[in-house]
Amino acid sequence: MLHINKVSASHQTKAHPYMRRIYQHLDSLEAQDFGRSDGTLVQSFRSFGGPPDAPQGWIWFNISSLNPSMLGAELVLFRKTLHPRPLSITVALHSIAASQGNLNESPALEERQLTLDQRPSSGYDVFDVSAVLASKPLEVLGFQLRYTDENGSLVLHEALTQSLYCLDRGSLSEPLLVLYQSHPLSGDQTLEQQKHLSAV
């Protein structure tokens, strides 16, 4: 867990590229606040192989060291490929929580349209997964993207996720789960949404 006023240079150079964006964003908010704030606590987790006997096709995070005061969460996926034609697809994000040997799957956390020939300006698709924090205790979380095409037909979700996103553990662009304790601006928007609004 990192306090933005105490992040060392060595930590920042080793950080996931998305986390460096967050540090810069929060640092700018701290500067605007003229030191009146105590800062924002941010915690991030990189993906791992999953618990024993974990189902295939899920992106797993070990969050056993999660700070219980965290209020918001983002799933961050780097879009590595673009389709040569302007195709749209609907994606529904599901989660599964593993605790004390039990797996509990949730209804869809979010549903959105993806345009497959366009990459987000940041390079990342960022999903608000704050709802998973309502479950206690949390030890391991898994996420799965399920797709339907323009005709409403199901698409092979595991193959498409592997094609669209960088899932290589240990790479600079591997999946990331970001949690934060307070909202730097207002409301219940995620950091990525806040950055987008502040840029408009």
Side-chain angles (χ1 to χ4, degrees):
M1 184 171 58
L2 301 172
H3 188 292
I4 64 169
N5 288 338
K6 299 179 181 178
V7 177
S8 69
S10 61
H11 279 159
Q12 287 191 330
T13 55
K14 295 178 182 178
H16 189 287
Y18 185 81
M19 291 305 298
R20 289 200 295 269
R21 293 168 59 92
I22 288 182
Y23 299 150
Q24 292 167 1
H25 176 66
L26 294 179
D27 280 338
S28 68
L29 292 176
E30 284 289 289
Q32 295 171 22
D33 197 37
F34 298 106
R36 290 191 296 269
S37 170
D38 289 333
T40 298
L41 292 173
V42 178
Q43 197 171 13
S44 65
F45 298 91
R46 296 175 184 251
S47 60
F48 82 118
D53 302 322
Q56 297 296 310
W58 293 77
I59 302 169
W60 294 98
F61 299 89
N62 183 338
I63 60 168
S64 56
S65 60
L66 174 69
N67 185 308
S69 65
M70 294 301 180
L71 299 176
E74 298 174 334
L75 174 65
V76 180
L77 301 175
F78 179 72
R79 184 92 71 86
K80 68 177 182 179
T81 58
L82 296 177
H83 198 279
R85 292 183 295 165
L87 295 178
S88 294
I89 198 166
T90 300
V91 58
L93 177 67
H94 293 255
S95 71
I96 191 168
S99 179
Q100 299 177 344
N102 298 316
L103 295 176
N104 299 303
E105 184 175 343
S106 74
L109 296 171
E110 182 181 345
E111 188 171 300
R112 69 167 69 166
Q113 288 285 119
L114 293 181
T115 304
L116 299 186
D117 66 323
Q118 297 178 14
R119 182 180 286 114
S121 59
S122 67
Y124 298 93
D125 283 326
V126 180
F127 299 88
D128 182 357
V129 296
S130 301
V132 301
L133 299 178
S135 301
K136 298 289 189 303
L138 288 171
E139 298 173 2
V140 173
L141 280 176
F143 297 95
Q144 186 180 71
L145 301 172
R146 300 175 186 173
Y147 309 90
T148 51
D149 62 19
E150 294 172 331
N151 298 319
S153 301
L154 288 173
V155 179
L156 291 174
H157 51 263
E158 185 174 357
L160 185 54
T161 298
Q162 291 175 350
S163 174
L164 284 177
Y165 298 110
C166 178
L167 303 179
D168 298 332
R169 295 192 302 275
S171 73
L172 280 177
S173 300
E174 69 179 311
L176 193 69
L177 183 64
V178 183
L179 302 106
Y180 48 95
Q181 188 179 41
S182 62
H183 305 286
L185 295 182
S186 62
D188 57 358
Q189 299 160 321
T190 65
L191 288 175
E192 179 67 15
Q193 291 170 323
Q194 292 169 10
K195 286 183 287 186
H196 173 74
L197 290 175
S198 64
V200 173

